[in-house]
Amino acid sequence: MAIHSQFRLLGQRRFLPFYLTQFSGAFNDNLYKNALLLLIAYQTTGLLGLSVNTVVNLAAFLFILPFFLFSGMAGQVADRYEKAAIIRKVKLAEIGIMTLAALALWSGWYEALLVLLFLMGVQSTFFGPVKYAILPQVLADDELVGGNGLVSMGTFVAILLGTIAAGLLMGLEAAAPIIAVSVLTLSVLGYLAARKVPATGAPGAGQAVRFRPLHETRQLIRIAAERKPVLWAILAISWFWFLGAAYLTQFPNFAHSNLRGDETVVTLLLSMFIVGISAGSMMCERITRHRITLAPVPWGAIGLSLLGIDLFFAVPASPEATTWWTLLSNPVYLRVLLDLVGIGVCGGLFIVPLYAFIQHETPQHKRARIIAALNVINALFMVASALAGMVVLGALDTDIPGFFLLLSLVNGLVLIAVWRIRRRV
């Protein structure tokens, strides 16, 4: 392994404790959220007098709502106070939330679990700006792309493992108590890792912290728009989250309706997509040669469009019943799988250089607020993705491969935008 490989960061205290902290947090978020959704779907007939479908959508809304309400305050806090201390306090709050969640899971108090899901969203909102704003303070410029690649890879792998773990644990007889112990244990392990994160200093000691949700959200957007290339980079990242959310949301129905697959096919599609993103994220450091450059971004955008178009043509018109092994062994279905892996790889090439660019090009005393603005816009784009899916698949009666094709064509406009960003910087 080369001496300058990004993986050497995993052996250094300035990076490893933070990496373990964010990995455990992403894993725990997804274990808890997906376990709750499965509990609602399979072990209840609805909550609060609402149907199961309504409660599931309410749960998704409650988790994302804090990003709109508290991102302004979270960005101010991260710019105002020492970031390692914030990480420890956020992880300590997670222990408190998960202690209550464990009690609610054990007793079957599902209404309380919805409230706690909202609080987990609040905790994630305050961790988000610190997560990316701390990297330029602990990494050199020639390490920034590699460090972001590791964080991106770790986040998506944690999402995958948390989702799979929730499904596996829900198949056990004592699912709720085991999940209760698991989420509490993970929160404690995350806090122990956070205690090892080195102090970084408090560069924005004069930054006031105010709780004015709508006003501060508008202020975040204004700050992010001060430099047009940074704003365009934020919008490009948010577009990828729009695209990624669309793919991930449709995988279950795509596997069932278009591939005639069982549950293992859904897991395989999700796994390969995330493996692709992780691989693409890891490739960025070598491709950029440790430099902060947007050179891979247009090529990632081209791949997202071309492979998305090929996916449309790869889906068989009259599929046979499939399992995970069918997708791996039958060339017709293997093409679908390889397209999804390729889309993931191109996604990693697309977003990692953009994250590094934003971190490098923003003033240190405003960086966390700009990351908070990115989180708000990401959340807006993911909500828009869900609405787009409802309109295209519902009102317009388009099938899922057709929806993927439409996304790939629209991505062509994004390609033009990112090419212009690259030429301006």
Side-chain angles (χ1 to χ4, degrees):
M1 186 178 295
I3 191 170
H4 294 300
S5 169
Q6 58 207 329
F7 292 103
R8 82 190 193 286
L9 295 173
L10 295 175
Q12 300 180 12
R13 189 188 168 194
R14 62 191 170 115
F15 184 80
L16 179 61
F18 161 75
Y19 181 81
L20 295 175
T21 301
Q22 69 88 26
F23 185 93
S24 66
F27 184 97
N28 213 15
D29 279 354
N30 284 274
L31 172 59
Y32 177 75
K33 181 172 63 175
N34 286 286
L36 175 57
L37 293 177
L38 290 170
L39 283 167
I40 292 170
Y42 290 99
Q43 297 193 13
T44 72
T45 56
L47 299 175
L48 306 172
L50 304 174
S51 68
V52 169
N53 284 336
T54 301
V55 176
V56 167
N57 285 291
L58 174 62
F61 171 75
L62 287 173
F63 187 77
I64 204 168
L65 178 62
F67 288 94
F68 297 105
L69 296 180
F70 304 117
S71 283
M73 187 177 179
Q76 292 170 350
V77 168
D79 277 334
R80 172 72 172 82
Y81 298 104
E82 199 276 313
K83 293 179 177 58
I86 296 172
I87 290 174
R88 284 190 282 274
K89 287 180 172 60
V90 168
K91 299 305 291 185
L92 194 60
E94 183 181 336
I95 292 177
I97 295 168
M98 286 306 173
T99 299
L100 296 175
L103 294 173
L105 281 165
W106 210 292
S107 61
W109 191 12
Y110 299 123
E111 291 82 0
L113 292 173
L114 288 174
V115 176
L116 294 168
L117 183 63
F118 174 81
L119 294 180
M120 282 299 294
V122 174
Q123 186 257 354
S124 295
T125 300
F126 277 86
F127 184 69
V130 183
K131 173 180 175 178
Y132 284 105
I134 196 174
L135 289 179
Q137 292 184 244
V138 300
L139 301 179
D141 284 354
D142 63 353
E143 298 172 323
L144 203 51
V145 172
N148 275 280
L150 285 170
V151 170
S152 177
M153 180 269 292
T155 299
F156 281 103
V157 170
I159 290 171
L160 173 64
L161 294 179
T163 303
I164 293 175
L168 292 176
L169 292 177
M170 280 300 299
L172 302 177
E173 185 174 348
I178 293 173
I179 294 170
V181 172
S182 299
V183 295
L184 181 56
T185 301
L186 281 166
S187 64
V188 172
L189 292 175
Y191 174 70
L192 293 176
R195 288 180 59 86
K196 299 295 183 180
V197 176
T200 60
Q207 171 62 43
V209 178
R210 302 182 181 92
F211 178 65
R212 299 179 296 182
L214 295 179
H215 176 79
E216 297 304 332
T217 298
R218 288 197 298 269
Q219 285 293 99
L220 288 179
I221 305 303
R222 182 186 64 79
I223 292 171
E226 289 176 352
R227 289 203 61 212
K228 287 299 186 291
V230 171
L231 178 61
W232 281 107
I234 287 173
L235 292 173
I237 290 174
S238 295
W239 163 253
F240 175 76
W241 283 102
F242 180 107
L243 196 69
Y247 276 102
L248 293 173
T249 301
Q250 302 309 323
F251 277 165
N253 200 25
F254 176 64
H256 175 71
S257 302
N258 299 100
L259 301 178
R260 291 187 61 199
D262 57 17
E263 295 84 354
T264 65
V265 171
V266 181
T267 302
L268 183 62
L269 295 180
L270 175 64
S271 300
M272 292 299 98
F273 186 69
I274 290 181
V275 165
I277 295 175
S278 302
S281 299
M282 293 293 94
M283 291 165 59
C284 286
E285 184 184 54
R286 182 173 294 274
I287 291 173
T288 61
R289 299 181 180 178
H290 306 274
R291 294 176 294 116
I292 298 171
T293 172
L294 297 180
V297 177
W299 297 106
I302 291 172
L304 287 172
S305 286
L306 294 180
L307 290 165
I309 292 170
D310 189 70
L311 177 63
F312 171 78
F313 291 104
V315 177
S318 301
E320 62 184 52
T322 60
T323 65
W324 66 273
W325 179 245
T326 311
L327 266 67
L328 291 173
S329 59
N330 187 323
V332 173
Y333 296 95
L334 183 60
R335 179 180 169 189
V336 172
L337 206 59
L338 291 176
D339 279 337
L340 288 176
V341 173
I343 289 169
V345 169
C346 292
L349 294 175
F350 185 83
I351 60 169
V352 168
L354 287 167
Y355 272 115
F357 173 77
I358 291 171
Q359 292 162 347
H360 185 261
E361 295 297 317
T362 52
Q364 187 168 321
H365 66 286
K366 293 182 179 181
R367 186 176 293 133
R369 279 171 288 167
I370 291 173
I371 298 298
L374 170 61
N375 290 340
V376 171
I377 298 172
N378 281 349
L380 282 171
F381 272 62
M382 285 189 282
V383 170
S385 177
L387 294 175
M390 292 170 61
V391 171
V392 174
L393 297 172
L396 301 181
D397 198 27
T398 304
D399 62 8
I400 294 175
F403 182 42
F404 291 163
L405 175 63
L406 178 61
L407 292 173
S408 302
L409 296 175
V410 173
N411 187 71
L413 301 176
V414 178
L415 170 60
I416 297 172
V418 297
W419 204 282
R420 293 183 63 185
I421 297 171
R422 187 195 167 192
R423 292 185 63 183
R424 289 184 180 183
V425 298

